Coordinates of all heavy atoms in Angstrom, one line a residue:
M1 N 24.7 64.8 -2.1 CA 23.7 65.7 -2.7 C 22.6 66.1 -1.7 O 22.5 67.2 -1.3 CB 23.1 65.1 -3.9 CG 24.0 64.8 -5.1 SD 24.7 66.3 -5.8 CE 23.4 66.6 -7.1
L2 N 21.9 65.1 -1.3 CA 20.8 65.4 -0.3 C 21.3 65.4 1.1 O 22.2 64.6 1.5 CB 19.7 64.3 -0.5 CG 19.0 64.3 -1.8 CD1 18.1 63.1 -1.9 CD2 18.1 65.5 -1.9
D3 N 20.8 66.3 1.8 CA 21.1 66.3 3.3 C 20.1 65.5 4.0 O 18.9 65.5 3.7 CB 21.0 67.8 3.8 CG 22.2 68.6 3.3 OD1 23.3 68.0 3.2 OD2 22.0 69.8 3.0
H4 N 20.6 64.7 5.0 CA 19.7 63.9 5.7 C 19.8 64.3 7.2 O 20.9 64.6 7.7 CB 20.0 62.4 5.6 CG 19.9 61.9 4.2 ND1 18.6 61.9 3.6 CD2 20.7 61.5 3.3 CE1 18.8 61.4 2.3 NE2 20.1 61.2 2.1
C5 N 18.7 64.2 7.9 CA 18.8 64.5 9.3 C 19.5 63.3 10.1 O 19.5 62.2 9.6 CB 17.4 64.7 9.9 SG 16.4 63.2 9.9
P6 N 20.1 63.6 11.2 CA 20.9 62.6 11.9 C 20.0 61.4 12.3 O 20.5 60.2 12.2 CB 21.3 63.3 13.2 CG 21.3 64.7 12.8 CD 20.2 64.9 11.8
G7 N 18.8 61.6 12.6 CA 17.9 60.5 12.9 C 17.7 59.5 11.8 O 17.8 58.3 11.9
A8 N 17.5 60.1 10.6 CA 17.3 59.2 9.4 C 18.6 58.5 9.1 O 18.5 57.3 8.6 CB 16.9 60.1 8.2
A9 N 19.8 59.1 9.3 CA 21.0 58.4 9.1 C 21.1 57.2 10.0 O 21.6 56.1 9.5 CB 22.2 59.3 9.3
N10 N 20.7 57.3 11.2 CA 20.7 56.2 12.1 C 19.8 55.1 11.6 O 20.0 53.9 11.9 CB 20.3 56.6 13.5 CG 21.5 57.4 14.2 OD1 22.6 57.2 13.8 ND2 21.2 58.2 15.1
L11 N 18.7 55.5 11.0 CA 17.7 54.5 10.6 C 18.2 53.7 9.4 O 18.0 52.6 9.2 CB 16.4 55.1 10.3 CG 15.6 55.5 11.5 CD1 14.4 56.4 11.2 CD2 15.0 54.3 12.2
R12 N 19.0 54.4 8.5 CA 19.5 53.8 7.3 C 20.6 52.9 7.7 O 20.8 51.9 7.0 CB 20.0 54.9 6.4 CG 18.9 55.6 5.6 CD 19.4 56.8 4.9 NE 18.4 57.2 3.9 CZ 18.5 56.9 2.6 NH1 19.6 56.3 2.2 NH2 17.6 57.3 1.8
T13 N 21.4 53.2 8.7 CA 22.5 52.3 9.1 C 22.2 52.0 10.6 O 22.6 52.7 11.5 CB 23.8 53.0 9.0 OG1 24.0 53.5 7.7 CG2 25.0 52.0 9.3
P14 N 21.5 50.9 10.8 CA 21.0 50.5 12.1 C 22.1 50.4 13.1 O 23.2 49.7 12.8 CB 20.3 49.2 11.9 CG 19.9 49.2 10.4 CD 21.0 49.9 9.7
T15 N 22.0 50.9 14.2 CA 22.9 50.8 15.3 C 22.3 50.1 16.5 O 21.1 50.2 16.7 CB 23.5 52.1 15.8 OG1 22.4 53.0 16.1 CG2 24.3 52.8 14.7
L16 N 23.1 49.4 17.2 CA 22.5 48.6 18.4 C 22.7 49.4 19.7 O 23.7 49.9 20.0 CB 23.2 47.3 18.5 CG 22.8 46.4 19.7 CD1 21.3 46.0 19.5 CD2 23.6 45.1 19.7
T17 N 21.6 49.5 20.4 CA 21.6 50.2 21.6 C 21.0 49.3 22.7 O 20.0 48.6 22.5 CB 20.7 51.5 21.6 OG1 21.2 52.3 20.5 CG2 20.8 52.2 22.9
V18 N 21.7 49.2 23.8 CA 21.2 48.4 24.9 C 20.5 49.3 25.9 O 21.0 50.2 26.4 CB 22.4 47.7 25.7 CG1 21.8 46.9 26.9 CG2 23.1 46.7 24.7
R19 N 19.2 49.0 26.1 CA 18.4 49.8 27.0 C 17.9 48.9 28.1 O 17.8 47.6 27.9 CB 17.2 50.4 26.2 CG 17.7 51.2 25.0 CD 16.6 51.9 24.4 NE 15.9 52.8 25.3 CZ 14.8 53.5 25.1 NH1 14.3 53.5 23.9 NH2 14.3 54.3 26.0
K20 N 17.5 49.5 29.2 CA 17.0 48.7 30.3 C 15.4 48.7 30.3 O 14.8 49.8 30.1 CB 17.5 49.3 31.6 CG 18.9 49.0 31.9 CD 19.1 48.8 33.4 CE 20.5 48.2 33.6 NZ 20.8 47.9 35.0
C21 N 14.9 47.6 30.4 CA 13.5 47.4 30.5 C 13.0 48.2 31.8 O 13.5 48.0 32.9 CB 13.1 46.0 30.6 SG 11.3 45.7 31.0
P22 N 12.1 49.1 31.6 CA 11.6 50.0 32.7 C 10.8 49.1 33.7 O 10.6 49.6 34.9 CB 10.7 51.0 32.1 CG 10.3 50.4 30.8 CD 11.4 49.5 30.3
Q23 N 10.4 48.0 33.3 CA 9.5 47.2 34.2 C 10.3 46.2 35.1 O 10.1 46.1 36.3 CB 8.5 46.4 33.4 CG 7.5 45.6 34.2 CD 6.2 45.3 33.5 OE1 5.4 46.2 33.2 NE2 6.1 44.1 33.1
C24 N 11.3 45.5 34.5 CA 12.0 44.5 35.2 C 13.6 44.7 35.3 O 14.3 44.1 36.0 CB 11.7 43.1 34.7 SG 12.5 42.8 33.1
G25 N 14.0 45.7 34.5 CA 15.5 46.0 34.5 C 16.3 45.2 33.6 O 17.5 45.3 33.6
E26 N 15.7 44.2 32.9 CA 16.4 43.4 32.0 C 17.0 44.2 30.8 O 16.4 45.2 30.4 CB 15.5 42.3 31.4 CG 16.1 41.4 30.4 CD 16.9 40.3 31.0 OE1 17.2 40.4 32.2 OE2 17.3 39.4 30.3
E27 N 18.2 43.9 30.4 CA 18.8 44.6 29.3 C 18.1 44.2 28.0 O 18.0 43.0 27.7 CB 20.3 44.4 29.2 CG 21.0 45.1 30.4 CD 22.5 45.0 30.2 OE1 23.0 44.2 29.4 OE2 23.2 45.8 30.8
V28 N 17.7 45.1 27.2 CA 17.0 44.8 26.0 C 17.8 45.5 24.8 O 18.1 46.7 24.8 CB 15.6 45.4 26.0 CG1 14.8 45.1 24.7 CG2 14.8 44.9 27.2
E29 N 18.1 44.7 23.8 CA 18.9 45.2 22.7 C 17.9 45.8 21.7 O 17.0 45.1 21.1 CB 19.7 44.0 22.0 CG 20.8 43.5 22.9 CD 21.6 42.4 22.3 OE1 21.1 41.9 21.3 OE2 22.7 42.1 22.7
V30 N 18.1 47.0 21.4 CA 17.2 47.7 20.4 C 18.0 48.3 19.3 O 18.9 49.1 19.4 CB 16.5 48.9 21.1 CG1 15.5 49.6 20.2 CG2 15.7 48.4 22.4
F31 N 17.7 47.8 18.1 CA 18.3 48.4 16.9 C 17.6 49.7 16.5 O 16.4 49.8 16.7 CB 18.2 47.4 15.7 CG 19.3 46.3 15.8 CD1 19.0 45.0 16.3 CD2 20.5 46.5 15.3 CE1 19.9 44.0 16.4 CE2 21.5 45.5 15.4 CZ 21.2 44.3 15.9
S32 N 18.4 50.6 16.0 CA 17.8 51.9 15.7 C 16.7 51.8 14.6 O 15.9 52.7 14.4 CB 18.9 52.8 15.2 OG 19.6 52.3 14.1
S33 N 16.7 50.7 13.9 CA 15.7 50.5 12.9 C 14.4 49.8 13.4 O 13.4 49.7 12.7 CB 16.3 49.6 11.7 OG 16.7 48.4 12.2
D34 N 14.5 49.4 14.7 CA 13.3 48.8 15.3 C 12.4 49.8 15.9 O 12.9 50.8 16.5 CB 13.8 47.8 16.4 CG 14.4 46.5 15.8 OD1 14.1 46.2 14.6 OD2 15.2 45.9 16.5
V35 N 11.1 49.6 15.7 CA 10.2 50.5 16.3 C 10.0 50.2 17.8 O 10.0 51.1 18.7 CB 8.8 50.4 15.6 CG1 7.8 51.3 16.4 CG2 9.0 50.9 14.2
A36 N 9.9 48.9 18.1 CA 9.8 48.5 19.5 C 10.3 47.1 19.6 O 10.3 46.3 18.7 CB 8.3 48.5 19.9
V37 N 10.8 46.8 20.8 CA 11.3 45.5 21.1 C 10.7 44.9 22.4 O 10.6 45.7 23.4 CB 12.9 45.5 21.3 CG1 13.4 44.1 21.7 CG2 13.5 46.0 20.0
T38 N 10.3 43.7 22.3 CA 9.7 43.1 23.5 C 10.7 42.5 24.4 O 11.6 41.8 24.0 CB 8.7 42.0 23.1 OG1 7.8 42.5 22.1 CG2 8.0 41.4 24.3
C39 N 10.6 42.8 25.7 CA 11.6 42.4 26.7 C 11.5 40.8 26.8 O 10.4 40.3 26.8 CB 11.2 43.0 28.1 SG 12.2 42.3 29.4
S40 N 12.7 40.2 26.7 CA 12.7 38.8 26.7 C 12.3 38.2 28.1 O 12.0 37.0 28.2 CB 14.1 38.3 26.3 OG 15.1 38.8 27.2
R41 N 12.4 38.9 29.1 CA 12.1 38.4 30.4 C 10.6 38.6 30.8 O 10.0 37.6 31.2 CB 13.0 39.1 31.5 CG 12.8 38.5 32.9 CD 13.5 39.3 33.9 NE 14.9 39.1 33.9 CZ 15.7 39.7 34.8 NH1 15.3 40.5 35.7 NH2 17.0 39.4 34.8
C42 N 10.1 39.8 30.7 CA 8.8 40.1 31.2 C 7.8 40.4 30.1 O 6.6 40.4 30.4 CB 8.8 41.2 32.2 SG 9.1 42.8 31.5
G43 N 8.3 40.6 28.9 CA 7.3 40.8 27.8 C 6.9 42.3 27.6 O 6.1 42.6 26.8
F44 N 7.5 43.2 28.5 CA 7.2 44.6 28.3 C 7.8 45.1 27.0 O 8.8 44.7 26.6 CB 7.9 45.4 29.5 CG 7.6 46.8 29.5 CD1 6.5 47.3 30.2 CD2 8.4 47.7 28.9 CE1 6.1 48.6 30.2 CE2 8.1 49.1 28.9 CZ 6.9 49.5 29.6
V45 N 7.0 46.0 26.3 CA 7.4 46.5 25.0 C 8.2 47.8 25.2 O 7.6 48.8 25.7 CB 6.2 46.8 24.1 CG1 6.6 47.3 22.8 CG2 5.4 45.5 23.9
V46 N 9.5 47.7 24.9 CA 10.3 48.9 25.0 C 10.3 49.6 23.6 O 10.7 49.0 22.6 CB 11.8 48.5 25.3 CG1 12.7 49.7 25.4 CG2 11.8 47.7 26.7
Y47 N 9.9 50.9 23.6 CA 9.9 51.6 22.4 C 11.2 52.3 22.1 O 11.9 52.7 23.0 CB 8.7 52.6 22.4 CG 7.4 52.0 22.3 CD1 6.6 51.6 23.4 CD2 6.9 51.7 21.0 CE1 5.4 51.0 23.2 CE2 5.7 51.1 20.8 CZ 4.9 50.7 22.0 OH 3.7 50.1 21.8
N48 N 11.4 52.4 20.8 CA 12.7 53.0 20.4 C 12.5 54.5 20.2 O 11.5 55.0 19.5 CB 13.1 52.4 19.0 CG 14.4 52.9 18.6 OD1 15.0 53.8 19.1 ND2 15.0 52.2 17.6
D49 N 13.3 55.3 20.9 CA 13.2 56.8 20.8 C 13.4 57.3 19.4 O 12.9 58.4 19.1 CB 14.2 57.4 21.7 CG 14.0 57.1 23.2 OD1 12.8 56.8 23.5 OD2 14.9 57.2 24.0
M50 N 14.1 56.6 18.6 CA 14.4 57.0 17.2 C 13.1 57.2 16.5 O 13.0 58.0 15.5 CB 15.3 56.0 16.5 CG 15.8 56.6 15.2 SD 16.8 58.1 15.4 CE 18.1 57.4 16.4
E51 N 12.1 56.5 16.9 CA 10.8 56.6 16.2 C 10.3 58.1 16.2 O 9.7 58.5 15.3 CB 9.8 55.7 16.9 CG 8.4 55.7 16.2 CD 7.4 55.1 17.0 OE1 7.7 54.6 18.1 OE2 6.2 55.0 16.6
S52 N 10.6 58.8 17.2 CA 10.2 60.2 17.3 C 10.6 61.1 16.2 O 10.0 62.0 15.9 CB 10.6 60.8 18.7 OG 12.0 60.8 18.8
C53 N 11.8 60.7 15.6 CA 12.3 61.5 14.5 C 11.3 61.7 13.4 O 11.1 62.8 12.9 CB 13.6 60.9 14.0 SG 14.2 61.6 12.5
I54 N 10.7 60.6 13.0 CA 9.8 60.6 11.9 C 8.5 61.4 12.2 O 7.7 61.7 11.3 CB 9.5 59.2 11.4 CG1 8.7 58.4 12.4 CG2 10.7 58.5 11.0 CD1 8.2 57.1 11.9
R55 N 8.3 61.6 13.5 CA 7.1 62.3 13.9 C 7.2 63.8 13.6 O 6.2 64.5 13.3 CB 6.7 62.1 15.3 CG 6.4 60.6 15.6 CD 5.7 60.5 16.9 NE 5.2 59.1 17.1 CZ 4.2 58.5 16.6 NH1 3.4 59.2 15.8 NH2 3.9 57.3 16.8
W56 N 8.4 64.3 13.8 CA 8.5 65.8 13.7 C 9.3 66.2 12.5 O 9.2 67.3 12.0 CB 9.2 66.4 14.9 CG 10.5 65.8 15.3 CD1 10.7 64.9 16.3 CD2 11.8 66.1 14.7 NE1 12.1 64.6 16.4 CE2 12.7 65.3 15.4 CE3 12.2 66.9 13.7 CZ2 14.1 65.3 15.1 CZ3 13.6 67.0 13.4 CH2 14.5 66.2 14.1
C57 N 10.1 65.3 11.9 CA 10.9 65.6 10.7 C 10.1 65.5 9.4 O 9.7 64.4 9.1 CB 12.1 64.7 10.6 SG 13.2 65.2 9.2
R58 N 9.8 66.6 8.8 CA 9.0 66.6 7.6 C 9.7 66.0 6.4 O 9.1 65.7 5.4 CB 8.5 68.0 7.3 CG 9.6 69.0 7.0 CD 9.0 70.4 7.0 NE 10.1 71.4 6.9 CZ 10.2 72.2 5.8 NH1 9.3 72.1 4.8 NH2 11.2 73.0 5.7
H59 N 11.0 65.8 6.6 CA 11.7 65.2 5.5 C 11.9 63.7 5.7 O 12.6 63.0 4.9 CB 13.1 65.8 5.3 CG 13.1 67.3 5.1 ND1 12.5 67.8 3.9 CD2 13.5 68.3 5.8 CE1 12.6 69.1 4.0 NE2 13.2 69.5 5.1
A60 N 11.3 63.2 6.7 CA 11.5 61.8 7.1 C 11.2 60.8 6.0 O 12.0 59.9 5.7 CB 10.7 61.4 8.3
K61 N 10.1 61.0 5.3 CA 9.7 60.1 4.2 C 10.7 60.1 3.1 O 11.1 59.0 2.6 CB 8.3 60.5 3.7 CG 7.7 59.4 2.9 CD 6.2 59.7 2.6 CE 5.6 58.5 1.9 NZ 4.2 58.7 1.6
E62 N 11.3 61.2 2.8 CA 12.3 61.3 1.7 C 13.6 60.7 2.2 O 14.3 60.0 1.5 CB 12.5 62.7 1.3 CG 11.2 63.4 0.7 CD 11.4 64.9 0.6 OE1 12.5 65.3 0.4 OE2 10.4 65.6 0.7
C63 N 13.9 61.0 3.4 CA 15.2 60.5 4.0 C 15.2 59.0 4.1 O 16.2 58.4 3.7 CB 15.4 61.1 5.4 SG 15.9 62.8 5.4
L64 N 14.1 58.4 4.6 CA 14.1 57.0 4.9 C 13.7 56.2 3.7 O 14.1 55.0 3.6 CB 13.1 56.7 6.0 CG 13.4 57.5 7.3 CD1 12.2 57.3 8.3 CD2 14.7 57.1 7.9
G65 N 13.0 56.8 2.8 CA 12.4 56.0 1.7 C 11.0 55.5 2.2 O 10.8 55.3 3.3
A66 N 10.1 55.4 1.2 CA 8.7 55.1 1.5 C 8.6 53.7 2.3 O 7.8 53.6 3.1 CB 7.9 55.0 0.2
E67 N 9.5 52.8 1.9 CA 9.3 51.5 2.6 C 9.6 51.5 4.1 O 8.8 51.0 4.9 CB 10.3 50.5 1.9 CG 10.1 49.1 2.4 CD 11.1 48.1 1.7 OE1 11.6 48.5 0.6 OE2 11.3 47.0 2.2
T68 N 10.7 52.1 4.4 CA 11.1 52.2 5.8 C 10.1 53.1 6.6 O 9.7 52.8 7.7 CB 12.5 52.8 6.0 OG1 13.4 51.9 5.3 CG2 12.9 52.8 7.5
Y69 N 9.8 54.2 6.0 CA 8.8 55.1 6.6 C 7.5 54.5 6.8 O 6.9 54.6 7.9 CB 8.6 56.3 5.6 CG 7.7 57.4 6.2 CD1 8.3 58.4 7.1 CD2 6.4 57.4 5.9 CE1 7.4 59.4 7.6 CE2 5.6 58.4 6.4 CZ 6.1 59.4 7.3 OH 5.3 60.3 7.8
G70 N 7.0 53.7 5.9 CA 5.8 53.0 6.0 C 5.8 52.0 7.1 O 4.9 51.8 7.9
K71 N 7.0 51.3 7.2 CA 7.2 50.3 8.2 C 7.1 50.9 9.6 O 6.5 50.3 10.6 CB 8.5 49.6 8.0 CG 8.9 48.6 9.1 CD 10.2 48.0 8.7 CE 11.0 47.4 9.9 NZ 12.4 47.1 9.6
L72 N 7.7 52.1 9.8 CA 7.8 52.7 11.1 C 6.5 53.4 11.5 O 6.2 53.6 12.6 CB 8.9 53.8 11.1 CG 10.3 53.2 11.0 CD1 11.3 54.3 10.8 CD2 10.6 52.5 12.3
T73 N 5.7 53.7 10.5 CA 4.4 54.5 10.8 C 3.2 53.6 10.6 O 2.1 54.0 10.9 CB 4.3 55.7 9.9 OG1 4.3 55.2 8.5 CG2 5.4 56.7 10.1
R74 N 3.4 52.3 10.2 CA 2.3 51.4 10.0 C 1.5 51.2 11.2 O 1.9 51.0 12.3 CB 2.9 50.1 9.5 CG 1.8 49.1 9.1 CD 2.4 47.8 8.6 NE 3.4 47.3 9.6 CZ 4.4 46.5 9.3 NH1 4.6 46.1 8.1 NH2 5.2 46.1 10.2
G75 N 0.2 51.4 11.0 CA -0.8 51.1 12.1 C -0.8 52.2 13.1 O -1.5 52.0 14.2
K76 N -0.2 53.4 12.9 CA -0.2 54.4 13.9 C -1.0 55.6 13.4 O -1.0 55.9 12.2 CB 1.2 54.9 14.2 CG 2.1 53.8 14.8 CD 3.4 54.4 15.4 CE 4.3 53.4 15.8 NZ 3.9 52.4 16.7
K77 N -1.7 56.2 14.3 CA -2.4 57.4 14.0 C -1.5 58.6 14.1 O -0.7 58.7 15.0 CB -3.6 57.6 15.0 CG -4.5 56.4 14.9 CD -5.7 56.7 14.0 CE -6.5 55.5 13.7 NZ -7.1 54.6 14.4
P78 N -1.6 59.6 13.2 CA -0.8 60.8 13.2 C -1.0 61.6 14.5 O -2.1 61.6 15.0 CB -1.1 61.5 12.0 CG -2.5 61.0 11.5 CD -2.6 59.6 12.1
Ligands
ZN101 ZN1 11.3 43.4 31.3

């Protein structure tokens, strides 16, 4: 019934992405539902690009549900 943006679909069904820490090159496992993951080697905080979806998608709150939306936006200024 409802259409969801691709970004929200990824957040509803978390996928694992391996990213490289920009500081030390360590591989960091980032789930699509995570906002940020701390590098296990150097402690650098690797941010999840998926977070950007909720910044521009006006349907994000409806797509994700208030709980997930609140979790991803908690403590952030618009
Ligand atoms: Zn690192």
Side-chain angles (χ1 to χ4, degrees):
M1 295 291 272
L2 292 172
D3 288 325
H4 296 296
C5 67
N10 284 337
L11 285 167
R12 282 168 164 261
T13 307
T15 54
L16 179 63
T17 304
V18 178
R19 305 190 56 187
K20 285 213 167 184
C21 172
Q23 184 159 288
C24 73
E26 178 80 347
E27 290 188 342
V28 181
E29 293 182 344
V30 182
F31 280 97
S32 59
S33 58
D34 288 335
V35 175
V37 176
T38 304
C39 173
S40 59
R41 183 189 285 180
C42 73
F44 185 89
V45 179
V46 179
Y47 285 93
N48 191 343
D49 292 338
M50 190 60 62
E51 183 192 2
S52 62
C53 169
I54 66 175
R55 293 195 178 282
W56 55 259
C57 182
R58 62 196 174 112
H59 301 297
K61 193 168 186 177
E62 298 167 33
C63 284
L64 303 174
E67 188 180 339
T68 302
Y69 184 85
K71 178 179 154 193
L72 290 170
T73 56
R74 185 178 51 203
K76 296 193 191 307
K77 302 264 169 50

